[in-house]
Amino acid sequence: MIPMGTIITACMIVGLIVAAPPLAKACPRPIRYTIGVILLAAGLWNIFWYASQHFREFWGIAAFCSGVLMVLTASYILKANWLPVFLRQAKPVVLLMLLGFAALYAITIYRL
């Protein structure tokens, strides 16, 4: 069985690839929406399951923060028009922060 941290990290990386401006339009719509829905589900799992059970630990806080960023990135992929203007303008910052969390998760998993 694949550990959940590996799945979450893979979801973050694939979501970043699809949400990045050069590839956002090149990816076919059904694939983009599928990845967006999977990223949304992973982000909600991170927030409502893992973070809620480990909210006083480092990885619980990291799960909450990365979950929020994953939900925002999924919103950029699925329906960016629903987001307020300041969140649409903050897309590069959100993607950069999600990249940082993906790197944190990936480096930690590699060191295990």
Side-chain angles (χ1 to χ4, degrees):
M1 182 188 309
I2 299 174
M4 195 62 185
T6 305
I7 294 170
I8 294 295
T9 305
C11 288
M12 282 191 250
I13 293 169
V14 172
L16 283 167
I17 291 170
V18 172
L23 297 174
K25 301 289 189 239
C27 187
R29 181 176 287 195
I31 293 172
R32 192 171 64 231
Y33 282 155
T34 302
I35 291 171
V37 168
I38 292 170
L39 185 66
L40 178 64
L44 292 174
W45 180 89
N46 239 8
I47 294 169
F48 292 115
W49 191 84
Y50 192 86
S52 67
Q53 292 185 5
H54 304 278
F55 65 95
R56 293 184 184 198
E57 301 171 10
F58 173 78
W59 286 110
I61 296 168
F64 179 78
C65 295
S66 63
V68 169
L69 294 171
M70 290 168 73
V71 169
L72 281 173
T73 303
S75 300
Y76 294 139
I77 294 170
L78 296 171
K79 199 73 169 169
N81 297 344
W82 290 357
L83 294 172
V85 174
F86 76 93
L87 284 177
R88 281 185 262 158
Q89 292 174 342
K91 182 178 178 180
V93 175
V94 170
L95 295 181
L96 186 63
M97 290 172 62
L98 187 59
L99 178 63
F101 276 103
L104 173 68
Y105 278 50
I107 290 169
T108 303
I109 290 169
Y110 176 74
R111 289 182 179 173
L112 292 176

